[in-house]
Amino acid sequence: MHWFSQHQVVSAAIGALTLPLVAAESLIQVDRRAQVARADLVFDRPATRPEEGMPVGNGRMGTLIWTTPSALKMQINRVDLHAMDSTTVSFPRADSDYGSACAYVDVNLVDAGDDVFLPGSFRQHLALYDALMTAKGRDLTARALAWPNGDVIALEIDDQRDQPAAVNIDLRMLRYQIQYHHGQNYRLARDHAVMFRTAEHIATATLLVDDGRIALTQQFREGKYYGASAVAVGVVGRPSRARYLNQSTVQLSVAPGKGRFTILIASAAGAKPAQDTAKIALQQLASTPGDFETLRRETSEWWSRFWARGGVYMHS
């Protein structure tokens, strides 16, 4: 009788331990896609301010994507870009320093034709499970992602307008102001560069055209400190032409046509003067698959593995 009581106790204990395991097993079978999709962002009208744009990033580089009636707008940022360190004496007032931001990118979709992103025909959707942003306008759709296997943001344009327009991609400096620098202004203009001084801190932005691609570099110097960034842009699937547009902007002009093409935006950062960040960003462009579907599939697979690592599921 004593043995039987022990057996009952052990059986009851095993049963009690099994119940949470069964419950946990049922949670493992949760439809992750449906669960994550509950947090998707959906806009039925364009964002009114840049900071209300939809985030796209891979943990190293990222941007918010917002729209104007005629364009898609981005500010490319990196988590490892620092304009100064703790030794700075040039930014004594709180919140007067800067860092992380690399460049503005404007994808201009309209010249003299009708605007694209207008209330009524507008929809912008960020699918969190696949990390894919889609913006739909009047006869034009854009899809964007941040490739996890490299520091590249890809933007696919599907133009179905009856009269497609040339698409002009502007890569712009973040800060632009003509300052007098003794003996250096002619050289700066010749090199498509702008130098911006704040006390002992110097920020130099330089525009580049390289084999049909465009780039923008930044260099930050103060005392012994050095930091740098680069953003490079290329087009796959459509003829394009690179040009210096003005003193603060370099442009890729994409030939008009129906159908799809892909814009690739690569970035790099460095902390040593010997590092050629422009070369690194341009090499990143060259090594990235030009097929958007390949990038979309690899990005979706990476995020699928990420969401499967765990989560919190609560119900009442």
Side-chain angles (χ1 to χ4, degrees):
M1 187 69 180
H2 178 68
W3 175 88
F4 187 74
S5 298
Q6 281 186 326
H7 179 70
Q8 285 181 315
V9 171
V10 171
S11 298
I14 292 175
L17 291 173
T18 304
L19 287 174
L21 293 177
V22 172
E25 179 65 22
S26 67
L27 290 180
I28 293 174
Q29 302 304 315
V30 166
D31 184 344
R32 293 290 188 191
R33 177 180 290 277
Q35 184 185 31
V36 174
R38 294 168 62 189
D40 282 5
L41 296 179
V42 180
F43 295 170
D44 59 5
R45 66 189 66 183
T48 57
R49 297 174 59 89
E51 59 267 31
E52 295 173 348
M54 290 189 175
V56 172
N58 63 6
R60 298 176 302 275
M61 73 173 290
T63 182
L64 295 176
I65 300 181
W66 67 98
T67 64
T68 64
S70 63
L72 288 157
K73 302 277 191 175
M74 287 172 274
Q75 176 183 299
I76 306 301
N77 305 305
R78 289 192 62 91
V79 298
D80 54 356
L81 174 62
H82 308 287
M84 74 289 295
D85 64 5
S86 61
T87 64
T88 182
V89 297
S90 301
F91 301 94
R93 184 165 56 85
D95 303 322
S96 64
D97 59 351
Y98 46 82
S100 299
C102 302
Y104 292 123
V105 177
D106 304 329
V107 182
N108 300 293
L109 304 164
V110 177
D111 41 34
D114 295 332
D115 286 334
V116 174
F117 298 119
L118 296 171
S121 59
F122 179 86
R123 188 176 190 272
Q124 189 175 4
H125 176 213
L126 179 62
L128 288 184
Y129 189 84
D130 295 311
L132 181 68
M133 188 231 63
T134 303
K136 293 185 177 181
R138 184 177 296 171
D139 299 322
L140 187 142
T141 301
R143 297 192 295 171
L145 57 84
W147 192 40
N149 298 329
D151 288 344
V152 174
I153 289 174
L155 182 66
E156 180 196 64
I157 304 296
D158 184 4
D159 193 342
Q160 296 299 327
R161 290 174 290 184
D162 292 334
Q163 294 182 325
V167 174
N168 293 314
I169 306 161
D170 293 345
L171 182 58
R172 297 191 289 120
M173 297 178 185
L174 290 163
R175 55 196 68 84
Y176 175 75
Q177 178 181 341
I178 294 295
Q179 294 179 331
Y180 177 72
H181 303 283
H182 181 71
Q184 299 188 66
N185 286 69
Y186 176 80
R187 175 186 60 81
L188 291 169
R190 180 199 64 200
D191 296 340
H192 305 283
V194 170
M195 183 183 293
F196 189 84
R197 178 185 285 274
T198 305
E200 299 301 315
H201 184 275
I202 295 176
T204 304
T206 305
L207 306 174
L208 301 170
V209 171
D210 181 277
D211 192 24
R213 302 166 299 179
I214 58 176
L216 167 60
T217 66
Q218 294 183 126
Q219 293 181 335
F220 304 105
R221 288 183 168 91
E222 182 177 1
K224 296 181 179 180
Y225 181 78
Y226 177 86
S229 71
V231 174
V233 183
V235 170
V236 179
R238 187 76 61 84
S240 63
R241 181 178 179 179
R243 63 171 63 89
Y244 295 105
L245 189 63
N246 53 50
Q247 290 176 299
S248 64
T249 307
V250 62
Q251 183 184 82
L252 266 181
S253 188
V254 185
K258 274 195 173 186
R260 302 179 181 184
F261 67 93
T262 302
I263 303 167
L264 299 177
I265 305 167
S267 70
K272 298 179 181 178
Q275 290 178 306
D276 189 340
T277 53
K279 183 178 180 180
I280 296 171
L282 288 166
Q283 288 175 340
Q284 185 82 253
L285 279 186
S287 62
T288 302
D291 177 36
F292 188 86
E293 281 305 313
T294 298
L295 298 173
R296 186 200 61 76
R297 184 182 67 254
E298 292 181 4
T299 302
S300 178
E301 291 171 351
W302 191 95
W303 280 97
S304 178
R305 293 191 298 269
F306 172 83
W307 295 119
R309 290 174 186 170
V312 176
Y313 183 74
M314 302 175 67
H315 68 95
S316 174

